[in-house]
Amino acid sequence: MELSVQEFLDSVSNPNTRKGYRHGINRFCEWYGKSAEEILELRKDDLTQRADENLIEYRNRAARFDKEIEKFHSYLIDQGSAINSARGMTIGIRQLFRFYQMPIKIRAGSKVAKTVKTTKNFPLTIEYVRAMFKVGDLRERVILSMATDLGLRVGDFIALKKSDLPPLDQEPPIPLDVMTDKEDVVAHGFLSQESVDLLKAYLPTLEKKK
């Protein structure tokens, strides 16, 4: 099987995410001194246990890039990168390994996973939501209520279809599981009584439009 960074990048649907991954991979390759394809081959070799080595030796070798990514992160911080930027720069290479079923294990407490709040984070409060709810039409109220209930990324939320909704004749809160696109994990959410009532009023209007 040929290991290709381009194949991985082509699998990323969001252009901004793809651009960020490419930039992070290029920075890691520049720092490590090898191409992405060479690094993938090294990772594959690290995860292949040899006949003449014991389990401890194998595990230490298999953890090589876990440690290298931590070193890369420290290098970025030393070069003046912000904590969030340094973390973001490591995601591309980590996702590349994950794409080829060779995921990296970030140890508990690692600085690689650390993030900080910045002034770019808009502090959405319940007061803002209530103010928007008051002036919104039925569709906008459905969006606000469901978004508050589920807490999904924008891309995952707008991908929801009517067919994804659970039966609304159940007693709220009603479970709604969504497979996330970026993390490829199941997000377990719930629809509140308010969302259910709004959906029951809104969904018939979609049938009329058809």
Side-chain angles (χ1 to χ4, degrees):
M1 177 184 179
E2 184 179 352
L3 304 178
S4 166
V5 66
Q6 191 58 50
E7 181 182 12
F8 160 66
L9 293 172
D10 288 343
S11 73
V12 181
S13 56
N14 187 297
N16 292 326
T17 302
R18 185 166 57 248
K19 181 179 179 181
Y21 286 173
R22 181 185 290 110
H23 180 58
I25 290 170
N26 287 341
R27 286 292 303 273
F28 183 82
C29 291
E30 179 185 330
W31 171 81
Y32 197 70
K34 293 185 180 296
S35 70
E37 284 74 20
E38 288 175 319
I39 290 170
L40 283 170
E41 289 296 337
L42 287 172
R43 178 67 176 157
K44 183 172 72 172
D45 183 64
D46 284 348
L47 295 178
T48 304
Q49 187 169 5
R50 301 185 175 106
D52 59 345
E53 68 179 347
N54 61 45
L55 183 61
I56 300 301
E57 291 173 334
Y58 163 65
R59 287 184 174 176
N60 283 330
R61 188 162 51 82
R64 185 211 318 208
F65 279 101
D66 303 25
K67 299 171 184 175
E68 294 297 339
I69 286 176
E70 292 212 12
K71 292 177 185 177
F72 174 59
H73 181 272
S74 296
Y75 162 79
L76 292 172
I77 295 295
D78 291 342
Q79 292 295 306
S81 293
I83 290 176
N84 290 354
S85 296
R87 174 186 174 275
M89 211 78 71
T90 69
I91 294 177
I93 189 67
R94 289 157 57 192
Q95 288 295 92
L96 175 62
F97 287 144
R98 183 171 176 265
F99 178 76
Y100 283 109
Q101 305 300 315
M102 302 185 293
I104 291 294
K105 294 181 181 179
I106 301 299
R107 62 184 177 81
S110 170
K111 293 181 179 180
V112 174
K114 185 177 180 181
T115 58
V116 294
K117 289 184 177 180
T118 70
T119 54
K120 294 180 181 179
N121 296 113
F122 181 76
L124 184 64
T125 65
I126 192 62
E127 286 75 21
Y128 287 121
V129 176
R130 286 170 178 163
M132 290 187 287
F133 195 85
K134 286 181 180 179
V135 299
D137 59 21
L138 179 57
R139 177 176 178 275
E140 291 162 345
R141 289 186 176 191
V142 169
I143 292 172
L144 280 169
S145 186
M146 286 186 63
T148 303
D149 285 347
L150 301 176
L152 296 170
R153 290 178 180 273
V154 173
D156 293 323
F157 184 81
I158 63 176
L160 287 173
K161 301 181 179 65
K162 179 183 175 183
S163 58
D164 296 326
L165 296 174
L168 300 179
D169 55 356
Q170 307 173 63
E171 181 180 353
I174 300 175
L176 175 57
D177 293 341
V178 178
M179 179 63 73
T180 60
D181 180 59
K182 188 171 184 178
E183 296 88 356
D184 196 27
V185 297
V186 177
H188 302 285
F190 295 88
L191 295 177
S192 64
Q193 180 69 65
E194 189 171 54
S195 291
V196 171
D197 291 342
L198 288 166
L199 283 167
K200 286 181 177 179
Y202 175 63
L203 293 178
T205 68
L206 299 181
E207 297 296 336
K208 292 179 181 178
K209 287 181 181 180
K210 290 181 180 178

PDB file of all heavy atoms in Angstrom, residues 119-152:
ATOM      1  N   THR A 119      -9.050  36.310  23.025  1.00  0.00           N
ATOM      2  CA  THR A 119     -10.064  37.344  22.782  1.00  0.00           C
ATOM      3  C   THR A 119     -10.883  37.034  21.541  1.00  0.00           C
ATOM      4  O   THR A 119     -11.916  37.656  21.308  1.00  0.00           O
ATOM      5  CB  THR A 119      -9.383  38.718  22.603  1.00  0.00           C
ATOM      6  OG1 THR A 119      -8.382  38.614  21.567  1.00  0.00           O
ATOM      7  CG2 THR A 119      -8.712  39.155  23.892  1.00  0.00           C
ATOM      8  N   LYS A 120     -10.418  36.064  20.727  1.00  0.00           N
ATOM      9  CA  LYS A 120     -11.183  35.675  19.540  1.00  0.00           C
ATOM     10  C   LYS A 120     -12.385  34.820  19.907  1.00  0.00           C
ATOM     11  O   LYS A 120     -13.291  34.652  19.100  1.00  0.00           O
ATOM     12  CB  LYS A 120     -10.282  34.910  18.568  1.00  0.00           C
ATOM     13  CG  LYS A 120      -9.159  35.748  17.976  1.00  0.00           C
ATOM     14  CD  LYS A 120      -8.325  34.915  17.032  1.00  0.00           C
ATOM     15  CE  LYS A 120      -7.184  35.734  16.441  1.00  0.00           C
ATOM     16  NZ  LYS A 120      -6.334  34.932  15.530  1.00  0.00           N
ATOM     17  N   ASN A 121     -12.371  34.234  21.107  1.00  0.00           N
ATOM     18  CA  ASN A 121     -13.496  33.414  21.535  1.00  0.00           C
ATOM     19  C   ASN A 121     -14.644  34.314  21.967  1.00  0.00           C
ATOM     20  O   ASN A 121     -14.539  35.053  22.943  1.00  0.00           O
ATOM     21  CB  ASN A 121     -13.091  32.500  22.706  1.00  0.00           C
ATOM     22  CG  ASN A 121     -12.023  31.508  22.308  1.00  0.00           C
ATOM     23  OD1 ASN A 121     -10.904  31.587  22.782  1.00  0.00           O
ATOM     24  ND2 ASN A 121     -12.362  30.580  21.445  1.00  0.00           N
ATOM     25  N   PHE A 122     -15.762  34.273  21.222  1.00  0.00           N
ATOM     26  CA  PHE A 122     -16.918  35.091  21.572  1.00  0.00           C
ATOM     27  C   PHE A 122     -17.677  34.426  22.707  1.00  0.00           C
ATOM     28  O   PHE A 122     -18.124  33.280  22.573  1.00  0.00           O
ATOM     29  CB  PHE A 122     -17.837  35.258  20.362  1.00  0.00           C
ATOM     30  CG  PHE A 122     -19.044  36.115  20.648  1.00  0.00           C
ATOM     31  CD1 PHE A 122     -18.923  37.490  20.738  1.00  0.00           C
ATOM     32  CD2 PHE A 122     -20.286  35.538  20.837  1.00  0.00           C
ATOM     33  CE1 PHE A 122     -20.024  38.277  21.002  1.00  0.00           C
ATOM     34  CE2 PHE A 122     -21.393  36.316  21.098  1.00  0.00           C
ATOM     35  CZ  PHE A 122     -21.256  37.692  21.176  1.00  0.00           C
ATOM     36  N   PRO A 123     -17.826  35.104  23.826  1.00  0.00           N
ATOM     37  CA  PRO A 123     -18.501  34.493  24.976  1.00  0.00           C
ATOM     38  C   PRO A 123     -20.023  34.504  24.799  1.00  0.00           C
ATOM     39  O   PRO A 123     -20.714  35.415  25.260  1.00  0.00           O
ATOM     40  CB  PRO A 123     -18.066  35.397  26.143  1.00  0.00           C
ATOM     41  CG  PRO A 123     -17.858  36.735  25.506  1.00  0.00           C
ATOM     42  CD  PRO A 123     -17.343  36.465  24.123  1.00  0.00           C
ATOM     43  N   LEU A 124     -20.544  33.498  24.103  1.00  0.00           N
ATOM     44  CA  LEU A 124     -21.987  33.412  23.896  1.00  0.00           C
ATOM     45  C   LEU A 124     -22.666  33.067  25.218  1.00  0.00           C
ATOM     46  O   LEU A 124     -22.425  32.014  25.800  1.00  0.00           O
ATOM     47  CB  LEU A 124     -22.301  32.335  22.855  1.00  0.00           C
ATOM     48  CG  LEU A 124     -23.774  32.189  22.472  1.00  0.00           C
ATOM     49  CD1 LEU A 124     -24.278  33.466  21.802  1.00  0.00           C
ATOM     50  CD2 LEU A 124     -23.970  30.991  21.550  1.00  0.00           C
ATOM     51  N   THR A 125     -23.509  33.961  25.688  1.00  0.00           N
ATOM     52  CA  THR A 125     -24.203  33.751  26.953  1.00  0.00           C
ATOM     53  C   THR A 125     -25.666  33.459  26.697  1.00  0.00           C
ATOM     54  O   THR A 125     -26.188  33.676  25.598  1.00  0.00           O
ATOM     55  CB  THR A 125     -24.087  35.000  27.846  1.00  0.00           C
ATOM     56  OG1 THR A 125     -24.791  36.085  27.209  1.00  0.00           O
ATOM     57  CG2 THR A 125     -22.626  35.392  28.057  1.00  0.00           C
ATOM     58  N   ILE A 126     -26.341  32.966  27.717  1.00  0.00           N
ATOM     59  CA  ILE A 126     -27.765  32.665  27.585  1.00  0.00           C
ATOM     60  C   ILE A 126     -28.567  33.928  27.302  1.00  0.00           C
ATOM     61  O   ILE A 126     -29.610  33.881  26.645  1.00  0.00           O
ATOM     62  CB  ILE A 126     -28.280  31.950  28.874  1.00  0.00           C
ATOM     63  CG1 ILE A 126     -29.678  31.377  28.645  1.00  0.00           C
ATOM     64  CG2 ILE A 126     -28.249  32.907  30.052  1.00  0.00           C
ATOM     65  CD1 ILE A 126     -29.738  30.329  27.559  1.00  0.00           C
ATOM     66  N   GLU A 127     -28.059  35.082  27.745  1.00  0.00           N
ATOM     67  CA  GLU A 127     -28.750  36.346  27.467  1.00  0.00           C
ATOM     68  C   GLU A 127     -28.761  36.645  25.977  1.00  0.00           C
ATOM     69  O   GLU A 127     -29.767  37.100  25.427  1.00  0.00           O
ATOM     70  CB  GLU A 127     -28.080  37.502  28.229  1.00  0.00           C
ATOM     71  CG  GLU A 127     -28.360  37.524  29.728  1.00  0.00           C
ATOM     72  CD  GLU A 127     -27.596  36.461  30.490  1.00  0.00           C
ATOM     73  OE1 GLU A 127     -26.563  35.979  29.958  1.00  0.00           O
ATOM     74  OE2 GLU A 127     -28.033  36.095  31.604  1.00  0.00           O
ATOM     75  N   TYR A 128     -27.621  36.383  25.292  1.00  0.00           N
ATOM     76  CA  TYR A 128     -27.559  36.583  23.847  1.00  0.00           C
ATOM     77  C   TYR A 128     -28.545  35.644  23.138  1.00  0.00           C
ATOM     78  O   TYR A 128     -29.238  36.038  22.198  1.00  0.00           O
ATOM     79  CB  TYR A 128     -26.150  36.332  23.315  1.00  0.00           C
ATOM     80  CG  TYR A 128     -25.143  37.410  23.654  1.00  0.00           C
ATOM     81  CD1 TYR A 128     -24.002  37.124  24.376  1.00  0.00           C
ATOM     82  CD2 TYR A 128     -25.336  38.728  23.223  1.00  0.00           C
ATOM     83  CE1 TYR A 128     -23.072  38.110  24.685  1.00  0.00           C
ATOM     84  CE2 TYR A 128     -24.406  39.711  23.526  1.00  0.00           C
ATOM     85  CZ  TYR A 128     -23.279  39.397  24.257  1.00  0.00           C
ATOM     86  OH  TYR A 128     -22.370  40.376  24.553  1.00  0.00           O
ATOM     87  N   VAL A 129     -28.569  34.396  23.573  1.00  0.00           N
ATOM     88  CA  VAL A 129     -29.456  33.415  22.949  1.00  0.00           C
ATOM     89  C   VAL A 129     -30.914  33.832  23.125  1.00  0.00           C
ATOM     90  O   VAL A 129     -31.711  33.767  22.187  1.00  0.00           O
ATOM     91  CB  VAL A 129     -29.221  32.010  23.542  1.00  0.00           C
ATOM     92  CG1 VAL A 129     -30.219  31.008  22.969  1.00  0.00           C
ATOM     93  CG2 VAL A 129     -27.799  31.549  23.266  1.00  0.00           C
ATOM     94  N   ARG A 130     -31.271  34.288  24.329  1.00  0.00           N
ATOM     95  CA  ARG A 130     -32.648  34.713  24.579  1.00  0.00           C
ATOM     96  C   ARG A 130     -33.027  35.922  23.728  1.00  0.00           C
ATOM     97  O   ARG A 130     -34.157  36.009  23.219  1.00  0.00           O
ATOM     98  CB  ARG A 130     -32.817  35.036  26.070  1.00  0.00           C
ATOM     99  CG  ARG A 130     -32.857  33.801  26.970  1.00  0.00           C
ATOM    100  CD  ARG A 130     -32.787  34.174  28.427  1.00  0.00           C
ATOM    101  NE  ARG A 130     -32.878  32.995  29.290  1.00  0.00           N
ATOM    102  CZ  ARG A 130     -32.520  32.988  30.570  1.00  0.00           C
ATOM    103  NH1 ARG A 130     -32.016  34.095  31.126  1.00  0.00           N
ATOM    104  NH2 ARG A 130     -32.637  31.880  31.283  1.00  0.00           N
ATOM    105  N   ALA A 131     -32.070  36.850  23.582  1.00  0.00           N
ATOM    106  CA  ALA A 131     -32.346  38.042  22.777  1.00  0.00           C
ATOM    107  C   ALA A 131     -32.583  37.664  21.317  1.00  0.00           C
ATOM    108  O   ALA A 131     -33.493  38.201  20.663  1.00  0.00           O
ATOM    109  CB  ALA A 131     -31.187  39.026  22.891  1.00  0.00           C
ATOM    110  N   MET A 132     -31.761  36.742  20.786  1.00  0.00           N
ATOM    111  CA  MET A 132     -31.948  36.292  19.404  1.00  0.00           C
ATOM    112  C   MET A 132     -33.247  35.515  19.253  1.00  0.00           C
ATOM    113  O   MET A 132     -33.949  35.626  18.236  1.00  0.00           O
ATOM    114  CB  MET A 132     -30.762  35.428  18.976  1.00  0.00           C
ATOM    115  CG  MET A 132     -29.463  36.206  18.792  1.00  0.00           C
ATOM    116  SD  MET A 132     -28.115  35.198  18.090  1.00  0.00           S
ATOM    117  CE  MET A 132     -27.697  34.176  19.502  1.00  0.00           C
ATOM    118  N   PHE A 133     -33.582  34.743  20.277  1.00  0.00           N
ATOM    119  CA  PHE A 133     -34.796  33.931  20.236  1.00  0.00           C
ATOM    120  C   PHE A 133     -36.041  34.820  20.145  1.00  0.00           C
ATOM    121  O   PHE A 133     -37.003  34.496  19.444  1.00  0.00           O
ATOM    122  CB  PHE A 133     -34.868  33.054  21.488  1.00  0.00           C
ATOM    123  CG  PHE A 133     -35.856  31.934  21.393  1.00  0.00           C
ATOM    124  CD1 PHE A 133     -35.502  30.727  20.803  1.00  0.00           C
ATOM    125  CD2 PHE A 133     -37.143  32.074  21.883  1.00  0.00           C
ATOM    126  CE1 PHE A 133     -36.415  29.683  20.714  1.00  0.00           C
ATOM    127  CE2 PHE A 133     -38.056  31.047  21.792  1.00  0.00           C
ATOM    128  CZ  PHE A 133     -37.696  29.840  21.208  1.00  0.00           C
ATOM    129  N   LYS A 134     -36.012  35.947  20.831  1.00  0.00           N
ATOM    130  CA  LYS A 134     -37.172  36.843  20.846  1.00  0.00           C
ATOM    131  C   LYS A 134     -37.475  37.421  19.469  1.00  0.00           C
ATOM    132  O   LYS A 134     -38.639  37.620  19.123  1.00  0.00           O
ATOM    133  CB  LYS A 134     -36.941  37.986  21.848  1.00  0.00           C
ATOM    134  CG  LYS A 134     -37.053  37.570  23.303  1.00  0.00           C
ATOM    135  CD  LYS A 134     -36.846  38.768  24.217  1.00  0.00           C
ATOM    136  CE  LYS A 134     -36.959  38.354  25.686  1.00  0.00           C
ATOM    137  NZ  LYS A 134     -36.732  39.514  26.599  1.00  0.00           N
ATOM    138  N   VAL A 135     -36.448  37.707  18.691  1.00  0.00           N
ATOM    139  CA  VAL A 135     -36.650  38.355  17.393  1.00  0.00           C
ATOM    140  C   VAL A 135     -36.646  37.346  16.236  1.00  0.00           C
ATOM    141  O   VAL A 135     -36.908  37.724  15.090  1.00  0.00           O
ATOM    142  CB  VAL A 135     -35.569  39.429  17.135  1.00  0.00           C
ATOM    143  CG1 VAL A 135     -35.623  40.500  18.195  1.00  0.00           C
ATOM    144  CG2 VAL A 135     -34.172  38.798  17.084  1.00  0.00           C
ATOM    145  N   GLY A 136     -36.351  36.069  16.510  1.00  0.00           N
ATOM    146  CA  GLY A 136     -36.252  35.076  15.444  1.00  0.00           C
ATOM    147  C   GLY A 136     -37.611  34.566  14.988  1.00  0.00           C
ATOM    148  O   GLY A 136     -38.590  34.562  15.759  1.00  0.00           O
ATOM    149  N   ASP A 137     -37.684  34.123  13.727  1.00  0.00           N
ATOM    150  CA  ASP A 137     -38.900  33.476  13.243  1.00  0.00           C
ATOM    151  C   ASP A 137     -38.856  32.004  13.665  1.00  0.00           C
ATOM    152  O   ASP A 137     -37.938  31.584  14.374  1.00  0.00           O
ATOM    153  CB  ASP A 137     -39.048  33.631  11.724  1.00  0.00           C
ATOM    154  CG  ASP A 137     -37.871  33.042  10.954  1.00  0.00           C
ATOM    155  OD1 ASP A 137     -37.150  32.192  11.513  1.00  0.00           O
ATOM    156  OD2 ASP A 137     -37.675  33.433   9.788  1.00  0.00           O
ATOM    157  N   LEU A 138     -39.823  31.212  13.220  1.00  0.00           N
ATOM    158  CA  LEU A 138     -39.917  29.823  13.658  1.00  0.00           C
ATOM    159  C   LEU A 138     -38.666  29.028  13.293  1.00  0.00           C
ATOM    160  O   LEU A 138     -38.121  28.293  14.126  1.00  0.00           O
ATOM    161  CB  LEU A 138     -41.156  29.161  13.043  1.00  0.00           C
ATOM    162  CG  LEU A 138     -41.374  27.674  13.390  1.00  0.00           C
ATOM    163  CD1 LEU A 138     -41.459  27.473  14.897  1.00  0.00           C
ATOM    164  CD2 LEU A 138     -42.630  27.153  12.691  1.00  0.00           C
ATOM    165  N   ARG A 139     -38.189  29.169  12.063  1.00  0.00           N
ATOM    166  CA  ARG A 139     -36.997  28.428  11.620  1.00  0.00           C
ATOM    167  C   ARG A 139     -35.784  28.813  12.452  1.00  0.00           C
ATOM    168  O   ARG A 139     -35.002  27.952  12.877  1.00  0.00           O
ATOM    169  CB  ARG A 139     -36.731  28.699  10.143  1.00  0.00           C
ATOM    170  CG  ARG A 139     -35.470  28.034   9.603  1.00  0.00           C
ATOM    171  CD  ARG A 139     -35.338  28.280   8.099  1.00  0.00           C
ATOM    172  NE  ARG A 139     -34.125  27.687   7.561  1.00  0.00           N
ATOM    173  CZ  ARG A 139     -32.928  28.269   7.569  1.00  0.00           C
ATOM    174  NH1 ARG A 139     -32.790  29.502   8.094  1.00  0.00           N
ATOM    175  NH2 ARG A 139     -31.870  27.669   7.073  1.00  0.00           N
ATOM    176  N   GLU A 140     -35.607  30.105  12.685  1.00  0.00           N
ATOM    177  CA  GLU A 140     -34.457  30.579  13.453  1.00  0.00           C
ATOM    178  C   GLU A 140     -34.530  30.118  14.904  1.00  0.00           C
ATOM    179  O   GLU A 140     -33.507  29.806  15.522  1.00  0.00           O
ATOM    180  CB  GLU A 140     -34.379  32.096  13.370  1.00  0.00           C
ATOM    181  CG  GLU A 140     -34.003  32.586  11.965  1.00  0.00           C
ATOM    182  CD  GLU A 140     -34.331  34.051  11.731  1.00  0.00           C
ATOM    183  OE1 GLU A 140     -35.096  34.637  12.535  1.00  0.00           O
ATOM    184  OE2 GLU A 140     -33.838  34.614  10.735  1.00  0.00           O
ATOM    185  N   ARG A 141     -35.743  30.028  15.438  1.00  0.00           N
ATOM    186  CA  ARG A 141     -35.886  29.530  16.814  1.00  0.00           C
ATOM    187  C   ARG A 141     -35.563  28.041  16.897  1.00  0.00           C
ATOM    188  O   ARG A 141     -34.979  27.578  17.891  1.00  0.00           O
ATOM    189  CB  ARG A 141     -37.305  29.812  17.306  1.00  0.00           C
ATOM    190  CG  ARG A 141     -37.581  31.280  17.560  1.00  0.00           C
ATOM    191  CD  ARG A 141     -38.941  31.509  18.171  1.00  0.00           C
ATOM    192  NE  ARG A 141     -39.135  32.927  18.498  1.00  0.00           N
ATOM    193  CZ  ARG A 141     -40.137  33.391  19.236  1.00  0.00           C
ATOM    194  NH1 ARG A 141     -41.057  32.561  19.720  1.00  0.00           N
ATOM    195  NH2 ARG A 141     -40.225  34.675  19.491  1.00  0.00           N
ATOM    196  N   VAL A 142     -35.936  27.296  15.870  1.00  0.00           N
ATOM    197  CA  VAL A 142     -35.582  25.870  15.835  1.00  0.00           C
ATOM    198  C   VAL A 142     -34.054  25.719  15.847  1.00  0.00           C
ATOM    199  O   VAL A 142     -33.505  24.918  16.602  1.00  0.00           O
ATOM    200  CB  VAL A 142     -36.171  25.192  14.575  1.00  0.00           C
ATOM    201  CG1 VAL A 142     -35.578  23.791  14.395  1.00  0.00           C
ATOM    202  CG2 VAL A 142     -37.680  25.094  14.693  1.00  0.00           C
ATOM    203  N   ILE A 143     -33.382  26.508  15.006  1.00  0.00           N
ATOM    204  CA  ILE A 143     -31.920  26.439  14.918  1.00  0.00           C
ATOM    205  C   ILE A 143     -31.276  26.796  16.250  1.00  0.00           C
ATOM    206  O   ILE A 143     -30.379  26.094  16.735  1.00  0.00           O
ATOM    207  CB  ILE A 143     -31.409  27.377  13.808  1.00  0.00           C
ATOM    208  CG1 ILE A 143     -31.837  26.845  12.435  1.00  0.00           C
ATOM    209  CG2 ILE A 143     -29.888  27.514  13.865  1.00  0.00           C
ATOM    210  CD1 ILE A 143     -31.552  27.800  11.296  1.00  0.00           C
ATOM    211  N   LEU A 144     -31.728  27.874  16.863  1.00  0.00           N
ATOM    212  CA  LEU A 144     -31.151  28.302  18.140  1.00  0.00           C
ATOM    213  C   LEU A 144     -31.354  27.260  19.230  1.00  0.00           C
ATOM    214  O   LEU A 144     -30.433  26.938  19.987  1.00  0.00           O
ATOM    215  CB  LEU A 144     -31.780  29.631  18.572  1.00  0.00           C
ATOM    216  CG  LEU A 144     -31.239  30.899  17.914  1.00  0.00           C
ATOM    217  CD1 LEU A 144     -32.139  32.082  18.254  1.00  0.00           C
ATOM    218  CD2 LEU A 144     -29.819  31.180  18.368  1.00  0.00           C
ATOM    219  N   SER A 145     -32.565  26.729  19.300  1.00  0.00           N
ATOM    220  CA  SER A 145     -32.876  25.770  20.354  1.00  0.00           C
ATOM    221  C   SER A 145     -32.097  24.468  20.174  1.00  0.00           C
ATOM    222  O   SER A 145     -31.497  23.943  21.116  1.00  0.00           O
ATOM    223  CB  SER A 145     -34.379  25.489  20.373  1.00  0.00           C
ATOM    224  OG  SER A 145     -34.722  24.668  21.467  1.00  0.00           O
ATOM    225  N   MET A 146     -32.070  23.957  18.934  1.00  0.00           N
ATOM    226  CA  MET A 146     -31.352  22.704  18.684  1.00  0.00           C
ATOM    227  C   MET A 146     -29.844  22.888  18.844  1.00  0.00           C
ATOM    228  O   MET A 146     -29.158  22.006  19.366  1.00  0.00           O
ATOM    229  CB  MET A 146     -31.675  22.193  17.281  1.00  0.00           C
ATOM    230  CG  MET A 146     -33.057  21.608  17.131  1.00  0.00           C
ATOM    231  SD  MET A 146     -33.297  20.875  15.487  1.00  0.00           S
ATOM    232  CE  MET A 146     -32.081  19.556  15.503  1.00  0.00           C
ATOM    233  N   ALA A 147     -29.323  24.022  18.385  1.00  0.00           N
ATOM    234  CA  ALA A 147     -27.889  24.267  18.515  1.00  0.00           C
ATOM    235  C   ALA A 147     -27.485  24.334  19.981  1.00  0.00           C
ATOM    236  O   ALA A 147     -26.415  23.851  20.369  1.00  0.00           O
ATOM    237  CB  ALA A 147     -27.515  25.563  17.802  1.00  0.00           C
ATOM    238  N   THR A 148     -28.332  24.947  20.795  1.00  0.00           N
ATOM    239  CA  THR A 148     -28.060  25.022  22.233  1.00  0.00           C
ATOM    240  C   THR A 148     -28.105  23.637  22.864  1.00  0.00           C
ATOM    241  O   THR A 148     -27.286  23.295  23.724  1.00  0.00           O
ATOM    242  CB  THR A 148     -29.073  25.948  22.922  1.00  0.00           C
ATOM    243  OG1 THR A 148     -29.029  27.244  22.302  1.00  0.00           O
ATOM    244  CG2 THR A 148     -28.763  26.095  24.405  1.00  0.00           C
ATOM    245  N   ASP A 149     -29.061  22.814  22.426  1.00  0.00           N
ATOM    246  CA  ASP A 149     -29.198  21.453  22.966  1.00  0.00           C
ATOM    247  C   ASP A 149     -28.003  20.575  22.607  1.00  0.00           C
ATOM    248  O   ASP A 149     -27.455  19.869  23.461  1.00  0.00           O
ATOM    249  CB  ASP A 149     -30.459  20.781  22.408  1.00  0.00           C
ATOM    250  CG  ASP A 149     -31.741  21.303  23.032  1.00  0.00           C
ATOM    251  OD1 ASP A 149     -31.668  22.004  24.056  1.00  0.00           O
ATOM    252  OD2 ASP A 149     -32.816  21.010  22.470  1.00  0.00           O
ATOM    253  N   LEU A 150     -27.584  20.615  21.337  1.00  0.00           N
ATOM    254  CA  LEU A 150     -26.645  19.626  20.821  1.00  0.00           C
ATOM    255  C   LEU A 150     -25.178  20.030  20.957  1.00  0.00           C
ATOM    256  O   LEU A 150     -24.308  19.167  21.101  1.00  0.00           O
ATOM    257  CB  LEU A 150     -26.962  19.327  19.350  1.00  0.00           C
ATOM    258  CG  LEU A 150     -28.383  18.782  19.096  1.00  0.00           C
ATOM    259  CD1 LEU A 150     -28.626  18.613  17.595  1.00  0.00           C
ATOM    260  CD2 LEU A 150     -28.594  17.462  19.820  1.00  0.00           C
ATOM    261  N   GLY A 151     -24.873  21.331  20.865  1.00  0.00           N
ATOM    262  CA  GLY A 151     -23.490  21.783  21.016  1.00  0.00           C
ATOM    263  C   GLY A 151     -22.542  21.232  19.964  1.00  0.00           C
ATOM    264  O   GLY A 151     -21.369  20.961  20.258  1.00  0.00           O
ATOM    265  N   LEU A 152     -23.021  21.078  18.724  1.00  0.00           N
ATOM    266  CA  LEU A 152     -22.193  20.525  17.654  1.00  0.00           C
ATOM    267  C   LEU A 152     -21.381  21.612  16.957  1.00  0.00           C
ATOM    268  O   LEU A 152     -21.707  22.796  17.048  1.00  0.00           O
ATOM    269  CB  LEU A 152     -23.088  19.845  16.603  1.00  0.00           C
ATOM    270  CG  LEU A 152     -23.883  18.621  17.058  1.00  0.00           C
ATOM    271  CD1 LEU A 152     -24.896  18.239  15.974  1.00  0.00           C
ATOM    272  CD2 LEU A 152     -22.956  17.445  17.348  1.00  0.00           C
TER     273      LEU A 152
END
